Amino acid sequence: MTSIESVTLEVDDPAAARRFYSSAFGLDRQVRVRGSEAPTTGFRGFTLSLVVAQPADVNALVEAAVDAGATTLKPAARSLWGYGGVVQAPDGTIWQIASSSKKDTGPATRRIDEIVLLLGVADMGGSKRFYVEHGLPVAKSFGSKYVEFDTGSGAVKLALYKRRGLAKLVGVSPDGTGSHRLTVNGDAGPFTDPDGFAWATASQTASL
């Protein structure tokens, strides 16, 4: 079964990005960074989500991210599906922090239950077929709106969302050009998907 070991974010200042992700989210193994000056403007077509157990954990992570330099795109609040907020890291990556629970069951922690990479796609059917053909079985599918894949015990989960819908979800314009500034590190690559997202093998990124 195809799994995702980590993602690599291409950033202007790798040292600053490493400090941010360590301080804000305690991430190092799952999120790698490397320097890049690839042109990019606007929405980069993807988000990363941190799934946690309760609203207090959402608040703790949002607060830590903002204290470390992130910008709030959507303040943490209740919704039909749970509780969550959206922040943008100093390197430009958009992070959703969410819980399916609307009530706290204990003291706040910064424990992360899941990391989910959401790719914004133009053709849901075509992208779904592409990934199935590359060894990612579908775990959940909601027509042309959302597809989630079974990535086994990998550190990062994968899901597809329509690009415009994903941008709306996180509160930004869907317009954007240039590099995604993202590489997915898993055992299915190397390849580039129909929307231009690049995959690499673990051996290709081991030195980062």
Side-chain angles (χ1 to χ4, degrees):
M1 180 179 293
T2 296
S3 63
I4 300 174
E5 178 182 295
S6 63
V7 296
T8 299
L9 304 175
E10 299 177 1
V11 302
D12 294 333
D13 186 337
R18 290 188 186 98
R19 286 194 298 272
F20 172 81
Y21 288 114
S22 177
S23 176
F25 303 142
L27 299 176
D28 48 27
R29 179 178 62 86
Q30 307 96 326
V31 177
R32 299 167 178 263
V33 299
R34 67 174 169 225
S36 174
E37 297 181 355
T40 186
T41 62
F43 184 46
R44 296 180 189 171
F46 75 94
T47 70
L48 283 155
S49 294
L50 303 178
V51 181
V52 298
Q54 59 180 354
D57 302 338
V58 173
N59 292 336
L61 286 167
V62 168
E63 182 179 352
V66 171
D67 287 347
T71 301
T72 301
L73 296 180
K74 281 191 172 183
R78 288 187 181 185
S79 68
L80 291 175
W81 48 263
Y83 185 88
V86 183
V87 299
Q88 187 166 29
D91 64 81
T93 303
I94 295 173
W95 290 81
Q96 301 181 66
I97 306 169
S99 171
S100 60
S101 174
K102 297 181 182 181
K103 294 183 179 180
D104 293 326
T105 57
T109 74
R110 291 171 59 188
R111 186 172 70 87
I112 297 167
D113 294 335
E114 288 185 341
I115 303 172
V116 183
L117 171 63
L118 288 97
L119 302 181
V121 302
D123 177 0
M124 183 65 78
S127 293
K128 177 181 176 181
R129 287 191 298 273
F130 178 88
Y131 278 106
V132 168
E133 290 169 358
H134 282 77
L136 284 88
V138 173
K140 298 178 183 177
S141 181
F142 298 95
S144 62
K145 296 183 180 296
Y146 177 84
V147 174
E148 183 179 309
F149 296 97
D150 185 350
T151 50
S153 60
V156 181
K157 306 298 183 183
L158 177 68
L160 306 180
Y161 216 101
K162 291 297 290 289
R163 180 187 171 98
R164 295 189 69 86
L166 183 58
K168 182 178 180 180
L169 182 66
V170 297
V172 299
S173 167
D175 298 330
T177 61
S179 173
H180 294 300
R181 288 204 177 186
L182 171 77
T183 300
V184 186
N185 309 314
D187 53 13
F191 59 77
T192 300
D193 81 359
D195 294 279
F197 290 102
W199 284 58
T201 61
S203 61
Q204 288 176 300
T205 56
S207 61
L208 293 178

